[in-house]
Amino acid sequence: MSAQDDNEQAIAAFLAFNPELNFVAVQAEQLLGVIMCGYDGRRATIYHMAVAQNVQGKGIGTALLQRLEQQLAQQQISKARLLVFADNQSGNAFWAKQGWIWQTALNYYSKDFSQTEETE
């Protein structure tokens, strides 16, 4: 993701559009973890999940995910998806352990619209 997508204004707009599907873990005013999810009317997509490195493996990511999954079920959202970089070994292991299924029958495409081409 680019700085254009991850700036304060863009994140605030995302949270305003999806107010009930985003959660943080905080302890003693310290941000420990975050999960950001959106819903397009058909499927939910987890866009970001992060846990502070010094507290990874202590159940914070699992707790955030469980809270999100409860909210998705409460809103009767039956399917969700996410992307994990192939070389993110700990991330891929986490999602598999949580019961998420690796989809091998899909091709993933992306296009960056922030780079405009000049036409003559």
Side-chain angles (χ1 to χ4, degrees):
M1 228 178 244
S2 70
Q4 180 178 351
D5 297 324
D6 281 342
N7 64 50
E8 187 175 337
Q9 183 179 2
I11 292 171
F14 179 84
L15 295 173
F17 192 74
N18 301 280
E20 298 176 344
L21 299 178
N22 298 278
F23 301 96
V24 296
V26 178
Q27 183 179 43
E29 298 185 23
Q30 290 271 327
L31 179 62
L32 301 179
V34 61
I35 190 164
M36 294 178 66
C37 183
Y39 179 61
D40 64 9
R42 185 163 181 254
R43 287 198 172 76
T45 301
I46 297 174
Y47 289 98
H48 293 290
M49 182 171 176
V51 174
Q53 193 169 14
N54 63 321
V55 293
Q56 289 178 2
K58 297 186 179 189
I60 293 168
T62 299
L64 285 167
L65 181 58
Q66 287 173 346
R67 179 65 186 98
L68 173 61
E69 289 178 351
Q70 290 169 353
Q71 185 66 23
L72 293 170
Q74 185 177 4
Q75 290 185 229
Q76 299 181 341
I77 299 170
S78 62
K79 289 189 178 185
R81 59 189 169 201
L82 60 94
L83 300 172
V84 182
F85 287 108
D87 64 353
N88 182 347
Q89 293 177 352
S90 63
N92 282 291
F94 172 83
W95 293 106
K97 183 179 178 183
Q98 300 302 319
W100 287 67
I101 299 168
W102 178 38
Q103 299 295 320
T104 59
L106 302 172
N107 290 322
Y108 176 71
Y109 295 86
S110 68
K111 186 173 185 178
D112 185 351
F113 293 107
S114 66
Q115 305 296 320
T116 59
E117 294 181 31
E118 292 186 28
T119 58
E120 295 182 28

